[in-house]
Amino acid sequence: MSETSATPRSRRHGLTLVEMLVATTMTLIIMGVVAQLFGMLGNGISGSRATLDMNGRMRGIAQQLRLDLAGITAKTLPPLRPESGLGYFELLEGIRSEPTSGVSLTGDCDDILMFTTKSAGDPFVGRYDNGTSVSTIESPYAEVIYFCQPMDPQDQLAPGTTLHALYRRQLLVRPYVGLPPFQGNSNRVTGALPALYDNYDISLRTVGSGTFSPNTLGDLTKRENRLLHNPNPNAGGSVTGPAFPFDVGAALNTNGYLDAQFTGDRQGE
């Protein structure tokens, strides 16, 4: 009886083409999942940062509004007499129609809040351009206005909902400027509004044709001397805007919103 010896099967080294394709596919799937997770994490971080930034800005403007309202110079119960030197407080109801039913996501965004206020700490600071250089000017009193404007279409989040930007304008109440071109010109400046407000953050009133003088708190008790209440003050040296009570209607755009924000080089201030 003869014996036969079994030949051992040789060991296989490496991977077959099918195994390589399966491994590559699994690797790509895992990499895709990881990339998607990192993308979701990045979006979450960006959203959190945006939320924190928005909350910080909201807290900042809320604090600024509280400070402004805390320093109101005028009594909120009229009438006020100009000789009392108390300034004014004015809340204007916008002309746009409000929803009569349902829930409004944007609120009443066309109202205008205007008043004079005194700083409880550091004085208010404004821009001052004397024609040769740009500097700043200070005063403990200011005429402040809050208003809204619809944001640009590309900044809207969803169709049917209009987001608004809140603006704050600040004009210093400084009856005597003491700087050129006011100095040596009977404390007056020549030009036209609103262009002068790009150079001087000073509350001004009409005293002649194309001539303006800084307001006192008593001057601002008269509505025709307030910001935007006399939109065409350059003809004839008299009040040429709307008749009493000198509303801001002529300063509104066709959509019923106030156009008083900075443009050009001062846009966003």
Side-chain angles (χ1 to χ4, degrees):
M1 182 176 178
S2 62
E3 294 183 355
T4 59
S5 60
T7 303
R9 179 179 297 179
S10 60
R11 294 183 178 180
R12 179 166 56 88
H13 300 280
L15 300 174
T16 65
L17 179 60
V18 173
E19 291 173 334
M20 291 185 63
L21 291 176
V22 171
T24 302
T25 302
M26 293 298 296
T27 302
L28 292 176
I29 293 175
I30 294 174
M31 291 178 62
V33 172
V34 172
Q36 187 173 7
L37 290 176
F38 273 108
M40 294 173 61
L41 180 61
N43 291 336
I45 293 175
S46 299
S48 298
R49 288 180 176 176
T51 301
L52 290 174
D53 179 67
M54 181 179 64
N55 289 337
R57 296 174 66 181
M58 290 177 64
R59 285 194 298 269
I61 190 61
Q63 178 65 13
Q64 182 65 62
L65 180 57
R66 283 192 291 267
L67 292 174
D68 287 341
L69 292 175
I72 289 177
T73 61
K75 299 177 182 178
T76 54
L77 182 64
L80 296 178
R81 300 179 65 87
E83 55 267 28
S84 299
L86 297 178
Y88 74 94
F89 179 89
E90 186 171 358
L91 177 60
L92 299 172
E93 173 66 30
I95 64 174
R96 293 173 58 88
S97 299
E98 306 302 331
T100 57
S101 61
V103 178
S104 173
L105 297 179
T106 57
D108 196 356
C109 295
D110 61 339
D111 293 349
I112 305 167
L113 178 62
M114 308 177 65
F115 54 90
T116 52
T117 182
K118 180 180 180 180
S119 174
D122 295 333
F124 295 106
V125 180
R127 174 188 171 101
Y128 193 90
D129 186 352
N130 62 14
T132 58
S133 62
V134 178
S135 58
T136 58
I137 192 171
E138 298 180 351
S139 174
Y141 297 95
E143 181 183 13
V144 175
I145 173 174
Y146 285 88
F147 63 98
C148 289
Q149 277 271 10
M151 297 177 67
D152 295 333
Q154 64 268 21
D155 296 325
Q156 302 298 334
L157 296 180
T161 301
T162 302
L163 296 180
H164 292 73
L166 177 64
Y167 292 91
R168 178 184 181 275
R169 285 293 300 270
Q170 171 183 290
L171 297 176
L172 275 58
V173 180
R174 180 161 167 161
Y176 179 72
V177 177
L179 297 169
F182 291 85
Q183 188 179 35
N185 190 29
S186 300
N187 198 38
R188 297 178 178 180
V189 65
T190 57
L193 297 178
L196 285 174
Y197 287 135
D198 289 332
N199 298 326
Y200 314 107
D201 289 336
I202 300 175
S203 180
L204 301 172
R205 73 180 188 281
T206 303
V207 293
S209 181
T211 306
F212 305 88
S213 182
N215 279 316
T216 66
L217 289 175
D219 294 327
L220 287 168
T221 303
K222 303 176 182 180
R223 297 191 73 185
E224 61 268 30
N225 294 330
R226 302 171 190 172
L227 176 65
L228 302 171
H229 283 67
N230 183 21
N232 184 24
N234 302 313
S238 60
V239 176
T240 57
F244 184 84
F246 307 108
D247 205 351
V248 298
L252 302 179
N253 59 28
T254 55
N255 294 323
Y257 291 97
L258 185 64
D259 279 327
Q261 68 275 19
F262 283 118
T263 57
D265 294 339
R266 303 196 68 184
Q267 185 174 358
E269 287 190 17

